[in-house]
Amino acid sequence: FANTHRAIVFSIRERNGYRILLADPTSLDPRQITLVEEGASNRPWLIPPDSETDQERGVPGPTTLAFSPDDSLLVVHTQLSEDKYAYSLYKIEWPGKGLPSKAAMSRFVGPVEHEGPFFDENSNRPLFFVTRRLSPKESAERGTSFANSNIIAFRNGNNLQVVNSFVGSTVRTMPLLTSSGQPRYAVTDDGQWMITADDRGSVRIGNLGTGKTFDLTPDGRPAHSGPVVGVAISDTDSALQIPEYAVTVGEENRLKVWDLLSRLRP
């Protein structure tokens, strides 16, 4: 879904290709649907089964789509083959009303091919823009809660990779702590702050915009006596640009709420 316009972007997988379409979600009028991108694949969506019980999945095509906070950018993540993925970025010029035409969308980057997925496809936030929360006055003026940004981030293995979306180059990599072998982390809605924890009870806070990291406890001691099994972080305060609270859950069946303003305030 777009953030400031009445529009959605979605992909359709056809037998030997795909299409990415932009539409009005209230009407879905076929005459107003805009074709953003289409491509062909050397493998079909479903490969005929070798037996009555086996059926191998083919190439899904586009797997992740995301608008920037002001909808001026559209990020597209596409699977080309079993181990080849592509990343594209579109810049969109929106008209005063309605949907932009295909001519109003220009591709800045892509397809940039990559061995393995660019984004974590198992997360409910496969990729996000690293920005800042606007003050109530700015939010009312701009019609959005977040400042515009061309910096995106996504999980890549046991790291959060921060990338300049215009050129596809890595700005920084933020390590994630792991618990039970899996990265345990959460990110604020504006993509600015992260919290991550591990099996030893350690919890760390990081700023994806600056790359700075802090132990959750002032003296660096573990926040829990054993593995941390869950973390959460509150929204960033628009005046201070700091999240107010964090929550951690330990395997010892203890839930703790932490005051982050006293920890992170300069």
Side-chain angles (χ1 to χ4, degrees):
F1 283 84
N3 299 297
T4 60
H5 297 84
R6 194 174 71 180
I8 58 172
V9 63
F10 59 96
S11 65
I12 294 177
R13 185 66 172 92
E14 298 169 342
R15 178 166 177 80
N16 288 297
Y18 66 87
R19 293 182 182 183
I20 298 175
L21 304 169
L22 190 68
D24 183 333
T26 61
S27 67
L28 289 178
D29 185 347
R31 295 168 297 179
Q32 297 181 6
I33 293 179
T34 302
L35 175 66
V36 179
E37 178 184 311
E38 62 182 335
S41 173
N42 57 4
R43 291 182 60 188
W45 169 234
L46 288 177
I47 295 176
D50 296 327
S51 67
E52 293 183 358
T53 58
D54 296 329
Q55 181 163 281
E56 183 182 1
R57 287 177 62 86
V59 179
T63 60
T64 306
L65 306 167
F67 283 107
S68 63
D70 68 346
D71 301 333
S72 64
L73 302 176
L74 173 64
V75 177
V76 179
H77 178 237
T78 304
Q79 185 174 359
L80 302 175
S81 65
E82 286 187 2
D83 57 359
K84 282 284 188 181
Y85 290 74
Y87 153 76
S88 297
L89 178 75
Y90 286 88
K91 184 171 179 59
I92 305 175
E93 298 292 339
W94 292 85
K97 292 183 179 180
L99 300 174
S101 65
K102 184 172 176 56
M105 292 180 282
S106 54
R107 188 161 68 179
F108 268 48
V109 180
V112 178
E113 293 192 1
H114 187 272
E115 294 284 350
F118 283 80
F119 313 127
D120 174 23
E121 298 168 4
N122 297 317
S123 169
N124 60 357
R125 286 182 80 187
L127 72 98
F128 49 90
F129 281 80
V130 180
T131 177
R132 66 179 178 86
R133 182 172 289 276
L134 298 175
S135 67
K137 181 180 178 181
E138 289 178 299
S139 181
E141 291 174 349
R142 303 189 192 186
T144 179
S145 299
F146 307 112
N148 190 32
S149 172
N150 67 328
I151 304 299
I152 62 174
F154 49 87
R155 177 184 158 193
N156 189 346
N158 288 341
N159 298 285
L160 287 181
Q161 191 166 336
V162 183
V163 169
N164 182 325
S165 64
F166 280 152
V167 294
S169 62
T170 298
V171 176
R172 64 181 55 88
T173 299
M174 305 287 287
L176 296 173
L177 304 179
T178 61
S179 182
S180 300
Q182 296 296 322
R184 196 74 65 190
Y185 72 101
V187 181
T188 55
D189 284 349
D190 62 0
Q192 186 177 179
W193 292 90
M194 58 170 274
I195 181 171
T196 182
D198 66 14
D199 278 334
R200 296 172 295 178
S202 298
V203 182
R204 190 173 299 154
I205 304 291
N207 185 305
L208 278 76
T210 64
K212 293 182 178 180
T213 59
F214 310 84
D215 289 322
L216 180 60
T217 56
D219 55 8
R221 287 187 297 178
H224 290 268
S225 60
V228 178
V229 296
V231 292
I233 191 166
S234 66
D235 294 340
T236 305
D237 180 272
S238 61
L240 299 173
Q241 294 302 312
I242 296 173
E244 294 186 58
Y245 301 101
V247 176
T248 59
V249 182
E251 195 175 67
E252 79 274 25
N253 290 330
R254 296 192 68 184
L255 182 149
K256 298 182 179 181
V257 180
W258 303 83
D259 172 17
L260 294 185
L261 292 182
S262 61
R263 180 75 184 96
L264 301 176
R265 195 195 301 259

